[in-house]
Amino acid sequence: MTARVFGVVLFVCMCLLATAAGAHPMDTQNAAFVQGVDGPAPAPFMYLGAKHMVTGYDHLLFLVGVIFFLYRLKDVVLYVSLFTLGHSVTLLVGVLWGVEVNAYVIDAIIGLSVCYKAFENMGGFNRIFGWRPDAKVAVLVFGLFHGLGLATKLQEFTVTTNGLVANILSFNVGVEIGQVLALTAVLIGITFWRTRPSFTRHAFMTNSVLMIGGFILTAQQLFGYVFYP
Amino acid sequence: MTKIVDSDQVERVSIKKLILAAFAAVLIAVLVFVGAVLPAEYGVDPLGTGEALGLLALAQVVAITAEDGEYRTDTFELRLAPSEWVEYTYRLQEGEAMVYTWFATSSVEYNFHSAPDGAPPGYAESFDSAASETANGSYVAPFTGIHGWYWENPGTEELIITLSTAGFYRDAHVARDRADGYRDLMDARGNLISEGSR
């Protein structure tokens, strides 16, 4: 195993260990703020949305998987737009209609979405089943689940109906800003790496590590679902 | 960009290798989860790895903060004439705590604020400001300095505020426009500590 692969494995494992807590640190101070809000507060909600995305490792791992083999900017924009469309719809509808799904179940599905994407990147579906799910549809569907997760998280804090729509929209805009920031960083890294021969050599290994990350997230959420309902 | 690759061209992976990788991923995930995540996040340590690596400490909830300061209690009645104000503050070191409750005979304007040592005169950070007949809470000083209430009677009749607190404060200071001074406090045995110890 070369030093670089070892570095990647170590980095991903450290990230996971550091944040496995639930992948979404919305610390008590932020929670107290959200609960105290009465009326529209665009900037704070945008900040919380962006923070959620940049520090939410399950979203980030999924996006790494999605753009791993996308090298045309057009494709990156297309896939990310589908993902954004998916999670925006369920975030808005979810909060407005008061849809609350068990957060553990949603986060377990999000963990599995990482596994799915990694397995697809490894060529797993083609080689084993001779068929692969339409990647665009899959990204859209998992986008819907990610949004449901966001909606559930946002509702865990009693958000007042006063200024609710403005605050969800602000949160959503923040999520997109955070996503663009995180994606840019990931894209720069992968694009740079792709110009080197090691990319091809270690793509399989990297996606295997991504899959490990997805399974750890899934296991943690399922454990929480069973023992801490 | 040199060579473009996608998932079909990465490597012509054998099915055996794929299945092996998938099983290895599940196995490693389970090992990391049971060996590290479970002890660190849930305090569950089936393999003893949490103990060995010191990860169990991460799952411990810090519920008690030991205090070095002396325990003090204070109960106080304040009379406020119409439009009169009073400022009542305690000296707390950073991280020291107190619990408080107060109620008034009618609605009073209040402001809980704190001023760090060495701050310019008149500087204060406000934490709670409203009009009410009562308020309860606990407070942990975010910095060393004075911490307490400003009350003002907005009505046309005299009102009485009854304040009870317990905590690790050093002294209590009353300031009104006619007089100001330090108050005696009660220690843990119920003895009066007459200091005004600055």
mmCIF file of all heavy atoms in Angstrom, chain A residues 17 21 69 71 120-122 124 126-128 132 195 199-200 204 211-212 215-216 219-220 223-224 228, chain B residues 2 4-8 10-13 15 17-19 21-22 25-26 28-29 32-33 38 41-42:
data_model
loop_
_atom_site.group_PDB
_atom_site.id
_atom_site.type_symbol
_atom_site.label_atom_id
_atom_site.label_comp_id
_atom_site.label_asym_id
_atom_site.label_seq_id
_atom_site.Cartn_x
_atom_site.Cartn_y
_atom_site.Cartn_z
ATOM 1 N N LEU A 17 -14.381 9.131 12.443
ATOM 2 C CA LEU A 17 -14.330 8.990 13.886
ATOM 3 C C LEU A 17 -14.623 10.314 14.562
ATOM 4 O O LEU A 17 -15.313 10.379 15.572
ATOM 5 C CB LEU A 17 -12.953 8.486 14.318
ATOM 6 C CG LEU A 17 -12.707 7.011 13.997
ATOM 7 C CD1 LEU A 17 -11.308 6.607 14.416
ATOM 8 C CD2 LEU A 17 -13.736 6.149 14.694
ATOM 9 N N ALA A 21 -20.507 11.144 15.469
ATOM 10 C CA ALA A 21 -21.505 11.460 16.496
ATOM 11 C C ALA A 21 -22.931 11.480 16.014
ATOM 12 O O ALA A 21 -23.852 11.241 16.766
ATOM 13 C CB ALA A 21 -21.170 12.794 17.125
ATOM 14 N N PHE A 69 -16.238 10.475 -10.677
ATOM 15 C CA PHE A 69 -15.884 10.248 -12.076
ATOM 16 C C PHE A 69 -16.430 11.318 -13.008
ATOM 17 O O PHE A 69 -16.459 11.145 -14.217
ATOM 18 C CB PHE A 69 -16.376 8.866 -12.523
ATOM 19 C CG PHE A 69 -15.541 7.756 -11.988
ATOM 20 C CD1 PHE A 69 -16.058 6.832 -11.113
ATOM 21 C CD2 PHE A 69 -14.207 7.660 -12.370
ATOM 22 C CE1 PHE A 69 -15.274 5.799 -10.620
ATOM 23 C CE2 PHE A 69 -13.423 6.636 -11.880
ATOM 24 C CZ PHE A 69 -13.953 5.705 -10.995
ATOM 25 N N TYR A 71 -15.939 14.644 -14.840
ATOM 26 C CA TYR A 71 -14.849 15.566 -15.119
ATOM 27 C C TYR A 71 -15.333 16.753 -15.943
ATOM 28 O O TYR A 71 -14.690 17.770 -15.985
ATOM 29 C CB TYR A 71 -13.690 14.863 -15.827
ATOM 30 C CG TYR A 71 -14.132 14.088 -17.044
ATOM 31 C CD1 TYR A 71 -14.188 14.702 -18.289
ATOM 32 C CD2 TYR A 71 -14.507 12.748 -16.938
ATOM 33 C CE1 TYR A 71 -14.604 13.993 -19.407
ATOM 34 C CE2 TYR A 71 -14.928 12.037 -18.038
ATOM 35 C CZ TYR A 71 -14.968 12.673 -19.282
ATOM 36 O OH TYR A 71 -15.394 11.978 -20.367
ATOM 37 N N GLU A 120 -21.181 1.590 -7.114
ATOM 38 C CA GLU A 120 -21.359 1.886 -8.529
ATOM 39 C C GLU A 120 -20.049 2.367 -9.136
ATOM 40 O O GLU A 120 -19.684 1.988 -10.248
ATOM 41 C CB GLU A 120 -22.456 2.943 -8.720
ATOM 42 C CG GLU A 120 -22.936 2.976 -10.155
ATOM 43 C CD GLU A 120 -23.519 4.302 -10.557
ATOM 44 O OE1 GLU A 120 -23.129 5.333 -9.969
ATOM 45 O OE2 GLU A 120 -24.353 4.317 -11.462
ATOM 46 N N ASN A 121 -19.338 3.234 -8.390
ATOM 47 C CA ASN A 121 -18.049 3.715 -8.882
ATOM 48 C C ASN A 121 -17.045 2.586 -9.073
ATOM 49 O O ASN A 121 -16.146 2.667 -9.890
ATOM 50 C CB ASN A 121 -17.463 4.754 -7.907
ATOM 51 C CG ASN A 121 -18.186 6.083 -8.008
ATOM 52 O OD1 ASN A 121 -18.944 6.324 -8.943
ATOM 53 N ND2 ASN A 121 -17.965 6.944 -7.028
ATOM 54 N N MET A 122 -17.208 1.527 -8.283
ATOM 55 C CA MET A 122 -16.305 0.389 -8.417
ATOM 56 C C MET A 122 -16.707 -0.503 -9.590
ATOM 57 O O MET A 122 -16.049 -1.515 -9.847
ATOM 58 C CB MET A 122 -16.327 -0.426 -7.107
ATOM 59 C CG MET A 122 -15.705 0.301 -5.947
ATOM 60 S SD MET A 122 -16.306 -0.301 -4.353
ATOM 61 C CE MET A 122 -15.391 -1.814 -4.164
ATOM 62 N N GLY A 124 -19.439 -2.144 -9.665
ATOM 63 C CA GLY A 124 -20.079 -3.304 -9.058
ATOM 64 C C GLY A 124 -21.382 -3.719 -9.690
ATOM 65 O O GLY A 124 -21.605 -4.909 -9.955
ATOM 66 N N ASN A 126 -22.560 -3.083 -12.739
ATOM 67 C CA ASN A 126 -22.366 -3.599 -14.088
ATOM 68 C C ASN A 126 -21.797 -5.001 -14.088
ATOM 69 O O ASN A 126 -22.264 -5.891 -14.795
ATOM 70 C CB ASN A 126 -21.392 -2.682 -14.852
ATOM 71 C CG ASN A 126 -22.144 -1.581 -15.567
ATOM 72 O OD1 ASN A 126 -23.365 -1.606 -15.629
ATOM 73 N ND2 ASN A 126 -21.407 -0.620 -16.093
ATOM 74 N N ARG A 127 -20.770 -5.200 -13.256
ATOM 75 C CA ARG A 127 -20.043 -6.457 -13.309
ATOM 76 C C ARG A 127 -20.850 -7.597 -12.699
ATOM 77 O O ARG A 127 -20.856 -8.699 -13.223
ATOM 78 C CB ARG A 127 -18.703 -6.331 -12.562
ATOM 79 C CG ARG A 127 -17.788 -5.277 -13.144
ATOM 80 C CD ARG A 127 -17.128 -5.760 -14.411
ATOM 81 N NE ARG A 127 -16.151 -6.812 -14.142
ATOM 82 C CZ ARG A 127 -15.776 -7.701 -15.042
ATOM 83 N NH1 ARG A 127 -16.318 -7.692 -16.238
ATOM 84 N NH2 ARG A 127 -14.877 -8.602 -14.735
ATOM 85 N N ILE A 128 -21.516 -7.331 -11.614
ATOM 86 C CA ILE A 128 -22.190 -8.427 -10.915
ATOM 87 C C ILE A 128 -23.606 -8.649 -11.439
ATOM 88 O O ILE A 128 -24.039 -9.778 -11.634
ATOM 89 C CB ILE A 128 -22.193 -8.177 -9.390
ATOM 90 C CG1 ILE A 128 -20.751 -8.222 -8.884
ATOM 91 C CG2 ILE A 128 -23.059 -9.211 -8.666
ATOM 92 C CD1 ILE A 128 -20.596 -8.041 -7.396
ATOM 93 N N ARG A 132 -27.141 -1.413 -14.179
ATOM 94 C CA ARG A 132 -26.947 -0.464 -13.085
ATOM 95 C C ARG A 132 -28.097 0.521 -13.031
ATOM 96 O O ARG A 132 -28.657 0.858 -14.085
ATOM 97 C CB ARG A 132 -25.610 0.250 -13.226
ATOM 98 C CG ARG A 132 -25.593 1.356 -14.281
ATOM 99 C CD ARG A 132 -24.487 2.320 -13.997
ATOM 100 N NE ARG A 132 -23.310 2.068 -14.841
ATOM 101 C CZ ARG A 132 -22.236 2.833 -14.809
ATOM 102 N NH1 ARG A 132 -22.171 3.835 -13.993
ATOM 103 N NH2 ARG A 132 -21.222 2.584 -15.606
ATOM 104 N N THR A 195 -5.398 13.960 -12.797
ATOM 105 C CA THR A 195 -4.355 14.134 -13.810
ATOM 106 C C THR A 195 -3.174 13.218 -13.537
ATOM 107 O O THR A 195 -2.244 13.162 -14.319
ATOM 108 C CB THR A 195 -3.845 15.585 -13.806
ATOM 109 O OG1 THR A 195 -3.292 15.865 -12.521
ATOM 110 C CG2 THR A 195 -4.970 16.555 -14.122
ATOM 111 N N PHE A 199 -4.514 8.057 -9.720
ATOM 112 C CA PHE A 199 -5.970 8.115 -9.633
ATOM 113 C C PHE A 199 -6.583 6.812 -10.122
ATOM 114 O O PHE A 199 -7.395 6.189 -9.443
ATOM 115 C CB PHE A 199 -6.508 9.295 -10.452
ATOM 116 C CG PHE A 199 -8.003 9.424 -10.413
ATOM 117 C CD1 PHE A 199 -8.630 9.977 -9.314
ATOM 118 C CD2 PHE A 199 -8.790 8.984 -11.475
ATOM 119 C CE1 PHE A 199 -10.005 10.099 -9.263
ATOM 120 C CE2 PHE A 199 -10.171 9.102 -11.435
ATOM 121 C CZ PHE A 199 -10.771 9.661 -10.331
ATOM 122 N N THR A 200 -6.171 6.411 -11.322
ATOM 123 C CA THR A 200 -6.710 5.191 -11.901
ATOM 124 C C THR A 200 -6.355 3.984 -11.046
ATOM 125 O O THR A 200 -7.180 3.101 -10.807
ATOM 126 C CB THR A 200 -6.139 4.976 -13.317
ATOM 127 O OG1 THR A 200 -6.134 6.229 -13.976
ATOM 128 C CG2 THR A 200 -6.972 4.001 -14.094
ATOM 129 N N PHE A 204 -10.333 2.261 -7.221
ATOM 130 C CA PHE A 204 -11.077 1.143 -6.639
ATOM 131 C C PHE A 204 -10.942 1.133 -5.120
ATOM 132 O O PHE A 204 -11.926 1.050 -4.386
ATOM 133 C CB PHE A 204 -10.544 -0.173 -7.235
ATOM 134 C CG PHE A 204 -11.338 -1.380 -6.834
ATOM 135 C CD1 PHE A 204 -12.506 -1.709 -7.510
ATOM 136 C CD2 PHE A 204 -10.932 -2.181 -5.778
ATOM 137 C CE1 PHE A 204 -13.247 -2.817 -7.134
ATOM 138 C CE2 PHE A 204 -11.673 -3.279 -5.395
ATOM 139 C CZ PHE A 204 -12.831 -3.610 -6.081
ATOM 140 N N MET A 211 -17.046 3.193 0.793
ATOM 141 C CA MET A 211 -18.088 2.240 1.135
ATOM 142 C C MET A 211 -18.019 1.886 2.624
ATOM 143 O O MET A 211 -19.043 1.787 3.299
ATOM 144 C CB MET A 211 -17.942 0.984 0.277
ATOM 145 C CG MET A 211 -19.124 0.051 0.371
ATOM 146 S SD MET A 211 -19.389 -0.799 -1.171
ATOM 147 C CE MET A 211 -18.299 -2.153 -1.043
ATOM 148 N N ILE A 212 -16.782 1.729 3.133
ATOM 149 C CA ILE A 212 -16.619 1.457 4.571
ATOM 150 C C ILE A 212 -17.270 2.585 5.368
ATOM 151 O O ILE A 212 -18.030 2.348 6.311
ATOM 152 C CB ILE A 212 -15.118 1.354 4.948
ATOM 153 C CG1 ILE A 212 -14.479 0.152 4.274
ATOM 154 C CG2 ILE A 212 -14.962 1.261 6.472
ATOM 155 C CD1 ILE A 212 -12.966 0.090 4.439
ATOM 156 N N PHE A 215 -20.978 2.302 5.408
ATOM 157 C CA PHE A 215 -21.461 1.221 6.285
ATOM 158 C C PHE A 215 -21.351 1.612 7.751
ATOM 159 O O PHE A 215 -22.216 1.278 8.567
ATOM 160 C CB PHE A 215 -20.695 -0.080 6.015
ATOM 161 C CG PHE A 215 -21.211 -0.826 4.805
ATOM 162 C CD1 PHE A 215 -20.357 -1.247 3.797
ATOM 163 C CD2 PHE A 215 -22.578 -1.105 4.683
ATOM 164 C CE1 PHE A 215 -20.828 -1.917 2.685
ATOM 165 C CE2 PHE A 215 -23.061 -1.780 3.568
ATOM 166 C CZ PHE A 215 -22.183 -2.185 2.570
ATOM 167 N N ILE A 216 -20.274 2.335 8.113
ATOM 168 C CA ILE A 216 -20.132 2.758 9.518
ATOM 169 C C ILE A 216 -21.287 3.697 9.886
ATOM 170 O O ILE A 216 -21.926 3.540 10.927
ATOM 171 C CB ILE A 216 -18.772 3.454 9.758
ATOM 172 C CG1 ILE A 216 -17.621 2.464 9.584
ATOM 173 C CG2 ILE A 216 -18.724 4.046 11.172
ATOM 174 C CD1 ILE A 216 -16.244 3.085 9.697
ATOM 175 N N ALA A 219 -24.442 1.642 10.214
ATOM 176 C CA ALA A 219 -24.451 0.830 11.437
ATOM 177 C C ALA A 219 -24.769 1.701 12.646
ATOM 178 O O ALA A 219 -25.572 1.336 13.509
ATOM 179 C CB ALA A 219 -23.091 0.149 11.620
ATOM 180 N N GLN A 220 -24.137 2.858 12.701
ATOM 181 C CA GLN A 220 -24.346 3.728 13.850
ATOM 182 C C GLN A 220 -25.803 4.168 13.968
ATOM 183 O O GLN A 220 -26.385 4.187 15.049
ATOM 184 C CB GLN A 220 -23.449 4.953 13.729
ATOM 185 C CG GLN A 220 -23.413 5.701 15.034
ATOM 186 C CD GLN A 220 -22.678 7.002 14.922
ATOM 187 O OE1 GLN A 220 -22.035 7.279 13.919
ATOM 188 N NE2 GLN A 220 -22.777 7.799 15.955
ATOM 189 N N PHE A 223 -28.024 1.256 15.038
ATOM 190 C CA PHE A 223 -27.851 1.010 16.475
ATOM 191 C C PHE A 223 -28.658 2.027 17.278
ATOM 192 O O PHE A 223 -29.366 1.676 18.217
ATOM 193 C CB PHE A 223 -26.364 1.110 16.835
ATOM 194 C CG PHE A 223 -26.084 0.757 18.274
ATOM 195 C CD1 PHE A 223 -25.876 -0.557 18.651
ATOM 196 C CD2 PHE A 223 -26.027 1.745 19.242
ATOM 197 C CE1 PHE A 223 -25.620 -0.893 19.976
ATOM 198 C CE2 PHE A 223 -25.767 1.426 20.570
ATOM 199 C CZ PHE A 223 -25.563 0.103 20.938
ATOM 200 N N GLY A 224 -28.567 3.287 16.868
ATOM 201 C CA GLY A 224 -29.320 4.336 17.553
ATOM 202 C C GLY A 224 -30.818 4.088 17.457
ATOM 203 O O GLY A 224 -31.561 4.271 18.423
ATOM 204 N N TYR A 228 -31.784 3.563 21.093
ATOM 205 C CA TYR A 228 -32.088 4.908 21.614
ATOM 206 C C TYR A 228 -33.258 5.536 20.869
ATOM 207 O O TYR A 228 -33.120 6.594 20.290
ATOM 208 C CB TYR A 228 -30.855 5.829 21.507
ATOM 209 C CG TYR A 228 -29.710 5.391 22.367
ATOM 210 C CD1 TYR A 228 -28.802 4.444 21.899
ATOM 211 C CD2 TYR A 228 -29.532 5.913 23.634
ATOM 212 C CE1 TYR A 228 -27.739 4.027 22.689
ATOM 213 C CE2 TYR A 228 -28.480 5.510 24.425
ATOM 214 C CZ TYR A 228 -27.576 4.567 23.954
ATOM 215 O OH TYR A 228 -26.532 4.167 24.731
ATOM 216 N N THR B 2 -4.753 14.572 -18.498
ATOM 217 C CA THR B 2 -4.131 13.567 -19.349
ATOM 218 C C THR B 2 -5.144 12.560 -19.873
ATOM 219 O O THR B 2 -5.627 12.669 -20.991
ATOM 220 C CB THR B 2 -3.011 12.817 -18.605
ATOM 221 O OG1 THR B 2 -3.512 12.412 -17.330
ATOM 222 C CG2 THR B 2 -1.816 13.714 -18.433
ATOM 223 N N ILE B 4 -8.764 10.477 -19.495
ATOM 224 C CA ILE B 4 -10.066 10.501 -18.840
ATOM 225 C C ILE B 4 -10.490 9.078 -18.491
ATOM 226 O O ILE B 4 -10.419 8.178 -19.319
ATOM 227 C CB ILE B 4 -11.119 11.135 -19.785
ATOM 228 C CG1 ILE B 4 -10.736 12.569 -20.099
ATOM 229 C CG2 ILE B 4 -12.510 11.060 -19.179
ATOM 230 C CD1 ILE B 4 -10.487 13.422 -18.870
ATOM 231 N N VAL B 5 -10.935 8.924 -17.263
ATOM 232 C CA VAL B 5 -11.375 7.587 -16.867
ATOM 233 C C VAL B 5 -12.772 7.673 -16.292
ATOM 234 O O VAL B 5 -13.169 8.684 -15.746
ATOM 235 C CB VAL B 5 -10.445 6.980 -15.797
ATOM 236 C CG1 VAL B 5 -9.162 6.524 -16.418
ATOM 237 C CG2 VAL B 5 -10.211 7.962 -14.676
ATOM 238 N N ASP B 6 -13.530 6.638 -16.443
ATOM 239 C CA ASP B 6 -14.775 6.559 -15.690
ATOM 240 C C ASP B 6 -14.898 5.158 -15.111
ATOM 241 O O ASP B 6 -13.997 4.336 -15.249
ATOM 242 C CB ASP B 6 -15.993 6.968 -16.516
ATOM 243 C CG ASP B 6 -16.274 6.002 -17.634
ATOM 244 O OD1 ASP B 6 -15.904 4.824 -17.499
ATOM 245 O OD2 ASP B 6 -16.869 6.423 -18.641
ATOM 246 N N SER B 7 -16.025 4.918 -14.481
ATOM 247 C CA SER B 7 -16.125 3.705 -13.689
ATOM 248 C C SER B 7 -16.006 2.440 -14.533
ATOM 249 O O SER B 7 -15.636 1.393 -14.033
ATOM 250 C CB SER B 7 -17.430 3.698 -12.895
ATOM 251 O OG SER B 7 -18.509 3.895 -13.762
ATOM 252 N N ASP B 8 -16.297 2.542 -15.843
ATOM 253 C CA ASP B 8 -16.225 1.335 -16.657
ATOM 254 C C ASP B 8 -14.797 1.006 -17.058
ATOM 255 O O ASP B 8 -14.482 -0.114 -17.401
ATOM 256 C CB ASP B 8 -17.079 1.496 -17.924
ATOM 257 C CG ASP B 8 -18.547 1.664 -17.578
ATOM 258 O OD1 ASP B 8 -18.953 1.105 -16.544
ATOM 259 O OD2 ASP B 8 -19.242 2.370 -18.314
ATOM 260 N N VAL B 10 -12.006 2.106 -15.219
ATOM 261 C CA VAL B 10 -11.055 2.203 -14.128
ATOM 262 C C VAL B 10 -10.118 1.014 -14.106
ATOM 263 O O VAL B 10 -8.919 1.119 -14.219
ATOM 264 C CB VAL B 10 -11.796 2.311 -12.789
ATOM 265 C CG1 VAL B 10 -10.956 1.777 -11.670
ATOM 266 C CG2 VAL B 10 -12.071 3.754 -12.519
ATOM 267 N N GLU B 11 -10.695 -0.109 -13.929
ATOM 268 C CA GLU B 11 -9.941 -1.347 -13.951
ATOM 269 C C GLU B 11 -10.974 -2.363 -14.393
ATOM 270 O O GLU B 11 -12.122 -2.257 -14.012
ATOM 271 C CB GLU B 11 -9.491 -1.739 -12.539
ATOM 272 C CG GLU B 11 -8.349 -0.899 -11.994
ATOM 273 C CD GLU B 11 -8.136 -1.218 -10.518
ATOM 274 O OE1 GLU B 11 -7.497 -2.229 -10.228
ATOM 275 O OE2 GLU B 11 -8.609 -0.465 -9.688
ATOM 276 N N ARG B 12 -10.570 -3.305 -15.163
ATOM 277 C CA ARG B 12 -11.528 -4.371 -15.439
ATOM 278 C C ARG B 12 -11.467 -5.289 -14.234
ATOM 279 O O ARG B 12 -10.747 -6.281 -14.217
ATOM 280 C CB ARG B 12 -11.170 -5.097 -16.745
ATOM 281 C CG ARG B 12 -11.230 -4.199 -17.965
ATOM 282 C CD ARG B 12 -12.582 -3.564 -18.125
ATOM 283 N NE ARG B 12 -13.622 -4.553 -18.489
ATOM 284 C CZ ARG B 12 -14.900 -4.273 -18.569
ATOM 285 N NH1 ARG B 12 -15.315 -3.043 -18.270
ATOM 286 N NH2 ARG B 12 -15.755 -5.192 -18.905
ATOM 287 N N VAL B 13 -12.233 -4.908 -13.232
ATOM 288 C CA VAL B 13 -12.155 -5.643 -11.977
ATOM 289 C C VAL B 13 -12.849 -6.991 -12.122
ATOM 290 O O VAL B 13 -13.922 -7.067 -12.711
ATOM 291 C CB VAL B 13 -12.865 -4.860 -10.870
ATOM 292 C CG1 VAL B 13 -12.378 -5.307 -9.516
ATOM 293 C CG2 VAL B 13 -12.659 -3.390 -11.059
ATOM 294 N N ILE B 15 -15.056 -10.102 -10.823
ATOM 295 C CA ILE B 15 -16.209 -10.190 -9.925
ATOM 296 C C ILE B 15 -15.766 -10.647 -8.550
ATOM 297 O O ILE B 15 -16.231 -10.172 -7.524
ATOM 298 C CB ILE B 15 -17.269 -11.150 -10.519
ATOM 299 C CG1 ILE B 15 -17.891 -10.494 -11.739
ATOM 300 C CG2 ILE B 15 -18.333 -11.497 -9.485
ATOM 301 C CD1 ILE B 15 -18.955 -11.306 -12.414
ATOM 302 N N LYS B 17 -12.924 -10.020 -7.104
ATOM 303 C CA LYS B 17 -12.313 -8.907 -6.383
ATOM 304 C C LYS B 17 -13.387 -7.959 -5.861
ATOM 305 O O LYS B 17 -13.301 -7.448 -4.740
ATOM 306 C CB LYS B 17 -11.344 -8.166 -7.310
ATOM 307 C CG LYS B 17 -10.533 -7.100 -6.573
ATOM 308 C CD LYS B 17 -9.514 -6.438 -7.498
ATOM 309 C CE LYS B 17 -8.849 -5.264 -6.785
ATOM 310 N NZ LYS B 17 -7.989 -4.501 -7.680
ATOM 311 N N LEU B 18 -14.414 -7.745 -6.686
ATOM 312 C CA LEU B 18 -15.502 -6.861 -6.285
ATOM 313 C C LEU B 18 -16.208 -7.373 -5.039
ATOM 314 O O LEU B 18 -16.428 -6.621 -4.087
ATOM 315 C CB LEU B 18 -16.519 -6.766 -7.422
ATOM 316 C CG LEU B 18 -16.473 -5.510 -8.266
ATOM 317 C CD1 LEU B 18 -17.363 -5.679 -9.477
ATOM 318 C CD2 LEU B 18 -16.899 -4.312 -7.441
ATOM 319 N N ILE B 19 -16.559 -8.653 -5.092
ATOM 320 C CA ILE B 19 -17.288 -9.223 -3.956
ATOM 321 C C ILE B 19 -16.410 -9.210 -2.709
ATOM 322 O O ILE B 19 -16.850 -8.861 -1.610
ATOM 323 C CB ILE B 19 -17.766 -10.659 -4.292
ATOM 324 C CG1 ILE B 19 -18.834 -10.583 -5.379
ATOM 325 C CG2 ILE B 19 -18.295 -11.358 -3.054
ATOM 326 C CD1 ILE B 19 -19.295 -11.913 -5.909
ATOM 327 N N ALA B 21 -14.065 -7.050 -2.086
ATOM 328 C CA ALA B 21 -13.972 -5.666 -1.608
ATOM 329 C C ALA B 21 -15.221 -5.287 -0.827
ATOM 330 O O ALA B 21 -15.152 -4.633 0.213
ATOM 331 C CB ALA B 21 -13.767 -4.721 -2.782
ATOM 332 N N ALA B 22 -16.387 -5.709 -1.344
ATOM 333 C CA ALA B 22 -17.646 -5.364 -0.671
ATOM 334 C C ALA B 22 -17.706 -6.016 0.709
ATOM 335 O O ALA B 22 -18.050 -5.369 1.701
ATOM 336 C CB ALA B 22 -18.826 -5.806 -1.528
ATOM 337 N N ALA B 25 -15.325 -4.330 3.011
ATOM 338 C CA ALA B 25 -15.851 -3.030 3.452
ATOM 339 C C ALA B 25 -16.809 -3.220 4.619
ATOM 340 O O ALA B 25 -16.726 -2.506 5.621
ATOM 341 C CB ALA B 25 -16.548 -2.321 2.289
ATOM 342 N N VAL B 26 -17.708 -4.212 4.470
ATOM 343 C CA VAL B 26 -18.663 -4.464 5.559
ATOM 344 C C VAL B 26 -17.920 -4.889 6.826
ATOM 345 O O VAL B 26 -18.170 -4.381 7.923
ATOM 346 C CB VAL B 26 -19.675 -5.567 5.154
ATOM 347 C CG1 VAL B 26 -20.545 -5.949 6.341
ATOM 348 C CG2 VAL B 26 -20.535 -5.091 3.988
ATOM 349 N N ILE B 28 -14.732 -4.351 7.752
ATOM 350 C CA ILE B 28 -13.966 -3.255 8.365
ATOM 351 C C ILE B 28 -14.919 -2.269 9.040
ATOM 352 O O ILE B 28 -14.675 -1.788 10.146
ATOM 353 C CB ILE B 28 -13.084 -2.547 7.309
ATOM 354 C CG1 ILE B 28 -12.006 -3.501 6.813
ATOM 355 C CG2 ILE B 28 -12.443 -1.292 7.895
ATOM 356 C CD1 ILE B 28 -11.210 -2.985 5.625
ATOM 357 N N ALA B 29 -16.048 -1.986 8.351
ATOM 358 C CA ALA B 29 -17.030 -1.059 8.935
ATOM 359 C C ALA B 29 -17.532 -1.585 10.273
ATOM 360 O O ALA B 29 -17.613 -0.841 11.252
ATOM 361 C CB ALA B 29 -18.193 -0.842 7.969
ATOM 362 N N VAL B 32 -14.688 -1.239 12.900
ATOM 363 C CA VAL B 32 -14.512 0.148 13.349
ATOM 364 C C VAL B 32 -15.696 0.569 14.207
ATOM 365 O O VAL B 32 -15.540 1.209 15.249
ATOM 366 C CB VAL B 32 -14.361 1.117 12.140
ATOM 367 C CG1 VAL B 32 -14.335 2.568 12.607
ATOM 368 C CG2 VAL B 32 -13.096 0.805 11.370
ATOM 369 N N PHE B 33 -16.899 0.147 13.773
ATOM 370 C CA PHE B 33 -18.102 0.529 14.514
ATOM 371 C C PHE B 33 -18.094 -0.069 15.918
ATOM 372 O O PHE B 33 -18.279 0.636 16.914
ATOM 373 C CB PHE B 33 -19.348 0.068 13.743
ATOM 374 C CG PHE B 33 -20.632 0.344 14.462
ATOM 375 C CD1 PHE B 33 -21.087 1.645 14.606
ATOM 376 C CD2 PHE B 33 -21.374 -0.692 15.020
ATOM 377 C CE1 PHE B 33 -22.260 1.908 15.282
ATOM 378 C CE2 PHE B 33 -22.548 -0.429 15.697
ATOM 379 C CZ PHE B 33 -22.990 0.873 15.824
ATOM 380 N N LEU B 38 -18.901 2.541 18.796
ATOM 381 C CA LEU B 38 -19.773 2.167 19.926
ATOM 382 C C LEU B 38 -19.240 2.685 21.266
ATOM 383 O O LEU B 38 -19.970 3.341 22.004
ATOM 384 C CB LEU B 38 -19.953 0.651 19.986
ATOM 385 C CG LEU B 38 -21.152 0.066 19.221
ATOM 386 C CD1 LEU B 38 -21.284 -1.425 19.515
ATOM 387 C CD2 LEU B 38 -22.441 0.780 19.576
ATOM 388 N N GLU B 41 -19.219 6.759 21.183
ATOM 389 C CA GLU B 41 -20.482 7.484 21.062
ATOM 390 C C GLU B 41 -21.534 7.023 22.065
ATOM 391 O O GLU B 41 -22.339 7.805 22.543
ATOM 392 C CB GLU B 41 -21.058 7.322 19.643
ATOM 393 C CG GLU B 41 -20.149 7.819 18.534
ATOM 394 C CD GLU B 41 -19.842 9.301 18.663
ATOM 395 O OE1 GLU B 41 -20.659 10.045 19.250
ATOM 396 O OE2 GLU B 41 -18.773 9.708 18.180
ATOM 397 N N TYR B 42 -21.556 5.708 22.350
ATOM 398 C CA TYR B 42 -22.622 5.178 23.195
ATOM 399 C C TYR B 42 -22.122 4.636 24.524
ATOM 400 O O TYR B 42 -22.910 4.192 25.354
ATOM 401 C CB TYR B 42 -23.388 4.075 22.448
ATOM 402 C CG TYR B 42 -24.068 4.557 21.186
ATOM 403 C CD1 TYR B 42 -23.527 4.292 19.932
ATOM 404 C CD2 TYR B 42 -25.258 5.285 21.252
ATOM 405 C CE1 TYR B 42 -24.152 4.730 18.770
ATOM 406 C CE2 TYR B 42 -25.886 5.722 20.111
ATOM 407 C CZ TYR B 42 -25.336 5.450 18.871
ATOM 408 O OH TYR B 42 -25.960 5.873 17.745
#
